[in-house]
Amino acid sequence: MNFERQRNRMVDRLLERESLDEATERALRAVPRHEFVPASKHESAYRDTPLPIGEGQTISAPHMVAIMVDLLELSPGDRVLEIGTGCGYHAAVTAEVVGPENVYSVEYHGNLAERARKTLAETGYGAVSIRAGDGREGWPEHAPYDRAYLTCAASDFPRTVVEQVRPGGILLGPLGDRSQVLVKARKRDDGTLDRERHGRVRFVPLK
Ligand code: SAH
Protein backbone atom coordinates (compact mmCIF):
# COMPACT_ATOMS: atom_id res chain seq x y z
CA MET A 1 0.00 0.00 0.00
CA ASN A 2 1.77 3.13 -1.20
CA PHE A 3 0.11 6.10 0.47
CA GLU A 4 2.19 8.70 -1.37
CA ARG A 5 1.07 7.34 -4.73
CA GLN A 6 -2.54 7.25 -3.60
CA ARG A 7 -2.25 10.81 -2.36
CA ASN A 8 -0.78 12.07 -5.63
CA ARG A 9 -3.54 10.33 -7.56
CA MET A 10 -6.14 11.96 -5.35
CA VAL A 11 -4.63 15.39 -6.01
CA ASP A 12 -4.42 14.68 -9.77
CA ARG A 13 -8.14 13.87 -9.77
CA LEU A 14 -8.93 17.00 -7.77
CA LEU A 15 -7.05 19.11 -10.30
CA GLU A 16 -9.26 17.78 -13.09
CA ARG A 17 -12.22 19.43 -11.36
CA GLU A 18 -10.76 22.43 -9.53
CA SER A 19 -8.13 24.91 -10.56
CA LEU A 20 -5.92 25.29 -7.53
CA ASP A 21 -3.06 27.55 -6.64
CA GLU A 22 0.34 25.91 -6.98
CA ALA A 23 1.01 26.38 -3.27
CA THR A 24 -2.29 24.66 -2.38
CA GLU A 25 -1.50 21.78 -4.71
CA ARG A 26 1.97 21.38 -3.23
CA ALA A 27 0.52 21.39 0.31
CA LEU A 28 -2.05 18.71 -0.56
CA ARG A 29 0.67 16.52 -2.05
CA ALA A 30 2.81 16.97 1.06
CA VAL A 31 0.48 16.31 4.02
CA PRO A 32 -0.01 12.59 4.85
CA ARG A 33 -3.81 12.61 5.37
CA HIS A 34 -3.79 8.94 6.43
CA GLU A 35 -1.77 9.82 9.53
CA PHE A 36 -4.58 12.12 10.69
CA VAL A 37 -7.46 9.63 10.48
CA PRO A 38 -8.02 6.64 12.81
CA ALA A 39 -5.94 3.58 11.87
CA SER A 40 -9.10 1.71 10.84
CA LYS A 41 -9.65 4.37 8.13
CA HIS A 42 -6.14 4.44 6.66
CA GLU A 43 -7.29 2.65 3.53
CA SER A 44 -9.96 5.29 2.89
CA ALA A 45 -7.76 8.30 3.60
CA TYR A 46 -7.21 9.17 -0.07
CA ARG A 47 -10.81 8.99 -1.17
CA ASP A 48 -12.37 12.41 -1.55
CA THR A 49 -14.81 12.03 1.35
CA PRO A 50 -15.19 13.20 4.94
CA LEU A 51 -14.25 10.56 7.56
CA PRO A 52 -15.16 10.14 11.24
CA ILE A 53 -12.46 11.24 13.71
CA GLY A 54 -14.27 10.62 17.03
CA GLU A 55 -16.58 12.74 19.22
CA GLY A 56 -19.15 12.67 16.41
CA GLN A 57 -16.83 14.93 14.36
CA THR A 58 -15.42 14.47 10.87
CA ILE A 59 -12.36 15.44 8.90
CA SER A 60 -13.56 17.46 5.86
CA ALA A 61 -13.29 15.98 2.37
CA PRO A 62 -9.98 16.86 0.68
CA HIS A 63 -11.68 18.96 -2.04
CA MET A 64 -13.26 21.13 0.67
CA VAL A 65 -9.92 21.68 2.40
CA ALA A 66 -8.38 22.48 -1.00
CA ILE A 67 -11.08 25.02 -1.86
CA MET A 68 -10.84 26.68 1.56
CA VAL A 69 -7.03 26.89 1.54
CA ASP A 70 -7.21 28.40 -1.95
CA LEU A 71 -9.91 30.95 -1.08
CA LEU A 72 -7.90 32.24 1.88
CA GLU A 73 -5.20 33.57 -0.52
CA LEU A 74 -2.42 32.53 1.85
CA SER A 75 1.18 33.70 1.58
CA PRO A 76 4.21 32.41 3.47
CA GLY A 77 4.39 34.17 6.84
CA ASP A 78 0.67 34.93 7.11
CA ARG A 79 -0.62 34.47 10.65
CA VAL A 80 -3.71 32.26 10.57
CA LEU A 81 -6.41 31.45 13.13
CA GLU A 82 -8.41 28.24 12.68
CA ILE A 83 -11.60 27.51 14.64
CA GLY A 84 -12.15 23.73 14.80
CA THR A 85 -8.85 21.81 14.77
CA GLY A 86 -10.52 18.39 14.56
CA CYS A 87 -7.73 15.95 13.72
CA GLY A 88 -5.36 18.73 12.59
CA TYR A 89 -5.26 17.85 8.88
CA HIS A 90 -6.57 21.17 7.58
CA ALA A 91 -4.19 23.00 9.95
CA ALA A 92 -1.28 20.98 8.51
CA VAL A 93 -2.24 21.90 4.93
CA THR A 94 -2.41 25.57 5.96
CA ALA A 95 0.93 25.19 7.75
CA GLU A 96 2.54 23.92 4.54
CA VAL A 97 1.73 27.27 2.92
CA VAL A 98 2.29 29.82 5.71
CA GLY A 99 4.75 27.97 7.97
CA PRO A 100 3.65 25.91 11.01
CA GLU A 101 4.71 28.55 13.53
CA ASN A 102 2.10 30.92 12.05
CA VAL A 103 -0.91 28.64 12.56
CA TYR A 104 -3.07 28.97 15.69
CA SER A 105 -5.98 26.59 16.05
CA VAL A 106 -8.72 26.27 18.67
CA GLU A 107 -10.59 23.00 19.30
CA TYR A 108 -13.61 22.58 21.56
CA HIS A 109 -12.99 18.91 22.50
CA GLY A 110 -9.95 18.49 24.75
CA ASN A 111 -9.16 14.97 23.57
CA LEU A 112 -9.33 15.92 19.87
CA ALA A 113 -7.02 18.87 20.62
CA GLU A 114 -4.58 16.55 22.36
CA ARG A 115 -4.63 13.97 19.59
CA ALA A 116 -4.21 16.66 16.91
CA ARG A 117 -1.22 18.08 18.79
CA LYS A 118 0.37 14.62 18.87
CA THR A 119 -0.29 13.86 15.19
CA LEU A 120 0.98 17.28 14.11
CA ALA A 121 4.19 16.73 16.09
CA GLU A 122 4.68 13.27 14.57
CA THR A 123 4.19 14.53 11.02
CA GLY A 124 6.56 17.49 11.30
CA TYR A 125 4.03 20.24 12.06
CA GLY A 126 4.77 20.43 15.79
CA ALA A 127 5.14 24.22 15.65
CA VAL A 128 1.39 24.63 15.00
CA SER A 129 -0.23 25.97 18.19
CA ILE A 130 -3.39 24.27 19.46
CA ARG A 131 -5.65 25.49 22.27
CA ALA A 132 -8.54 23.53 23.76
CA GLY A 133 -11.50 25.85 24.27
CA ASP A 134 -14.33 27.74 22.63
CA GLY A 135 -13.29 29.10 19.26
CA ARG A 136 -15.90 31.86 19.52
CA GLU A 137 -13.34 33.66 21.68
CA GLY A 138 -10.62 33.28 19.05
CA TRP A 139 -7.11 33.39 20.52
CA PRO A 140 -6.49 37.00 21.59
CA GLU A 141 -2.87 36.51 22.73
CA HIS A 142 -1.66 35.99 19.15
CA ALA A 143 -3.88 38.52 17.37
CA PRO A 144 -4.00 40.27 14.97
CA TYR A 145 -4.37 37.56 12.34
CA ASP A 146 -4.05 37.98 8.57
CA ARG A 147 -6.58 35.21 8.03
CA ALA A 148 -9.20 33.36 10.11
CA TYR A 149 -11.41 30.43 9.12
CA LEU A 150 -14.07 28.25 10.69
CA THR A 151 -14.31 24.52 9.98
CA CYS A 152 -17.65 24.27 11.79
CA ALA A 153 -20.84 26.09 10.87
CA ALA A 154 -21.97 29.28 12.61
CA SER A 155 -24.83 31.67 12.00
CA ASP A 156 -22.22 34.39 11.43
CA PHE A 157 -18.51 35.02 12.03
CA PRO A 158 -18.10 35.37 15.81
CA ARG A 159 -17.64 39.07 16.65
CA THR A 160 -14.53 38.43 18.76
CA VAL A 161 -12.91 36.55 15.88
CA VAL A 162 -13.66 39.42 13.47
CA GLU A 163 -12.03 41.81 15.95
CA GLN A 164 -8.87 39.67 15.99
CA VAL A 165 -8.38 39.90 12.21
CA ARG A 166 -6.43 42.90 10.89
CA PRO A 167 -8.03 45.36 8.48
CA GLY A 168 -7.55 43.98 4.96
CA GLY A 169 -7.48 40.43 6.36
CA ILE A 170 -9.77 37.63 5.20
CA LEU A 171 -12.33 35.49 7.08
CA LEU A 172 -13.81 32.30 5.69
CA GLY A 173 -16.37 29.84 6.94
CA PRO A 174 -19.63 27.96 6.48
CA LEU A 175 -22.39 30.31 7.60
CA GLY A 176 -26.03 29.48 8.16
CA ASP A 177 -28.09 27.31 10.45
CA ARG A 178 -29.67 24.40 8.64
CA SER A 179 -28.26 25.07 5.21
CA GLN A 180 -24.93 26.76 4.91
CA VAL A 181 -23.04 28.86 2.41
CA LEU A 182 -19.26 29.14 2.33
CA VAL A 183 -18.67 32.86 2.90
CA LYS A 184 -15.41 34.70 2.30
CA ALA A 185 -15.18 38.17 3.81
CA ARG A 186 -12.54 40.84 3.62
CA LYS A 187 -12.36 43.15 6.63
CA ARG A 188 -12.56 46.82 5.68
CA ASP A 189 -10.63 49.55 7.53
CA ASP A 190 -13.81 50.55 9.37
CA GLY A 191 -14.18 46.98 10.69
CA THR A 192 -17.14 46.01 8.49
CA LEU A 193 -17.01 42.97 6.21
CA ASP A 194 -17.15 42.80 2.43
CA ARG A 195 -18.72 39.38 1.79
CA GLU A 196 -18.69 36.94 -1.12
CA ARG A 197 -20.69 33.72 -1.29
CA HIS A 198 -18.97 30.56 -2.53
CA GLY A 199 -21.68 27.95 -2.79
CA ARG A 200 -23.59 25.57 -0.55
CA VAL A 201 -21.69 23.39 1.92
CA ARG A 202 -22.35 21.06 4.85
CA PHE A 203 -20.34 21.25 8.06
CA VAL A 204 -20.96 20.18 11.65
CA PRO A 205 -22.29 23.07 13.72
CA LEU A 206 -20.20 25.08 16.17
CA LYS A 207 -20.76 23.88 19.76
N1 SAH B 1 -10.47 21.03 10.25
C1 SAH B 1 -10.76 19.74 10.83
C2 SAH B 1 -12.20 19.33 10.67
C3 SAH B 1 -12.95 19.88 11.74
S1 SAH B 1 -14.61 19.35 12.04
C4 SAH B 1 -9.85 18.66 10.33
O1 SAH B 1 -9.03 18.89 9.44
O2 SAH B 1 -9.98 17.56 10.86
C5 SAH B 1 -15.07 20.71 13.06
C6 SAH B 1 -14.37 20.78 14.38
O3 SAH B 1 -14.83 21.95 15.04
C7 SAH B 1 -14.69 19.61 15.31
O4 SAH B 1 -13.50 19.00 15.71
C8 SAH B 1 -15.41 20.27 16.48
O5 SAH B 1 -15.13 19.65 17.72
C9 SAH B 1 -14.86 21.69 16.43
N2 SAH B 1 -15.70 22.69 17.11
C10 SAH B 1 -17.05 22.73 17.19
N3 SAH B 1 -17.43 23.81 17.91
C11 SAH B 1 -16.31 24.47 18.27
C12 SAH B 1 -16.06 25.65 19.03
N4 SAH B 1 -17.05 26.37 19.56
N5 SAH B 1 -14.78 26.02 19.19
C13 SAH B 1 -13.76 25.29 18.67
N6 SAH B 1 -13.93 24.18 17.96
C14 SAH B 1 -15.19 23.75 17.75
Side-chain angles (χ1 to χ4, degrees):
M1 185 58 58
N2 183 333
F3 286 123
E4 192 180 350
R5 206 165 68 208
Q6 288 187 32
R7 182 160 66 249
N8 280 316
R9 275 210 204 120
M10 177 190 79
V11 178
D12 293 342
R13 280 197 300 270
L14 259 174
L15 288 169
E16 290 168 11
R17 290 190 288 138
E18 308 282 342
S19 70
L20 298 173
D21 235 56
E22 250 180 66
T24 308
E25 178 189 338
R26 224 177 303 125
L28 292 166
R29 291 195 192 279
V31 181
R33 190 173 188 257
H34 65 280
E35 304 278 5
F36 290 83
V37 302
S40 63
K41 303 284 177 212
H42 274 187
E43 306 300 319
S44 312
Y46 297 107
R47 286 176 26 206
D48 191 14
T49 60
L51 292 170
I53 54 170
E55 301 291 345
Q57 305 301 321
T58 53
I59 176 175
S60 305
H63 76 270
M64 189 47 61
V65 173
I67 289 169
M68 289 182 72
V69 170
D70 231 54
L71 281 174
L72 270 186
E73 301 175 32
L74 299 170
S75 304
D78 278 350
R79 189 183 281 250
V80 184
L81 174 67
E82 174 185 69
I83 311 299
T85 318
C87 67
Y89 172 73
H90 194 154
V93 177
T94 302
E96 271 292 330
V97 184
V98 301
E101 66 285 4
N102 298 311
V103 180
Y104 297 88
S105 185
V106 186
E107 168 56 45
Y108 184 84
H109 288 288
N111 53 346
L112 288 181
E114 206 172 299
R115 218 182 309 145
R117 213 176 270 133
K118 185 164 169 279
T119 310
L120 286 162
E122 286 166 358
T123 49
Y125 304 99
V128 170
S129 304
I130 312 272
R131 176 169 82 76
D134 188 353
R136 281 186 191 78
E137 290 152 25
W139 196 339
E141 288 80 3
H142 303 289
Y145 300 96
D146 300 295
R147 305 287 185 259
Y149 65 94
L150 315 177
T151 71
C152 34
S155 49
D156 201 352
F157 296 112
R159 198 166 43 94
T160 313
V161 172
V162 176
E163 281 165 7
Q164 290 172 17
V165 172
R166 69 163 169 84
I170 298 175
L171 294 106
L172 179 70
L175 301 186
D177 296 320
R178 253 177 246 148
S179 85
Q180 305 144 19
V181 171
L182 186 60
V183 177
K184 169 176 172 176
R186 198 175 283 273
K187 186 169 169 179
R188 299 190 188 94
D189 288 349
D190 66 3
T192 60
L193 297 178
D194 184 11
R195 295 161 186 262
E196 279 172 14
R197 296 159 63 95
H198 287 274
R200 296 206 166 281
V201 289
R202 255 185 103 114
F203 282 73
V204 294
L206 201 80
K207 298 256 179 247

